[in-house]
Amino acid sequence: MSLLITEECIACDACIDECPNEAIEADDPIYMIDPDKCTECIEEGGEPSCVPACPVDCIIPDPDNVENAKELKLKAKHINKED
Ligand code: SF4
Ligand code: SF4
């Protein structure tokens, strides 16, 4: 599952450098997560590193992009190959 950023985002920039996959983009008025790049940090142990960085708790699971652990690991492998 990818995560998404809700409209509560205050565009503070705190999350962007936390993402190992460069999935977070600074957009206007709120930041965005690219569902093709978000692996839910499965490769880092499955704890999304962007979530604790957010001061307003506006990064949540995206119900339109649900994936199981196997799919997330495959996505992570694919992303790392492109690096
Ligand atoms: Fe990036 Fe991980 Fe947050 Fe997804 S959960 S946007 S991969 S930091
Ligand atoms: Fe928006 Fe939260 Fe990221 Fe700040 S940390 S830019 S409030 S999503």
Side-chain angles (χ1 to χ4, degrees), residues 14-53:
C15 57
I16 206 156
D17 288 337
E18 298 297 326
C19 182
N21 300 327
E22 296 178 6
I24 303 172
E25 282 172 46
D27 213 339
D28 185 19
I30 63 169
Y31 282 32
M32 308 275 290
I33 293 176
D34 181 345
D36 292 335
K37 290 185 182 171
C38 177
T39 58
E40 226 180 295
C41 290
I42 194 95
E43 66 275 52
E44 319 269 312
E47 286 299 321
S49 47
C50 56
V51 171

Side-chain angles (χ1 to χ4, degrees), residues 4-19:
L4 66 79
I5 294 173
T6 71
E7 59 188 23
E8 311 293 311
C9 172
I10 55 170
C12 70
D13 219 40
C15 57
I16 206 156
D17 288 337
E18 298 297 326
C19 182

Side-chain angles (χ1 to χ4, degrees), residues 14 31 36 42 54 61 65 71 73-74:
Y31 282 32
D36 292 335
I42 194 95
C54 180
N65 282 297
E71 290 168 316
K73 280 179 189 160
L74 270 176

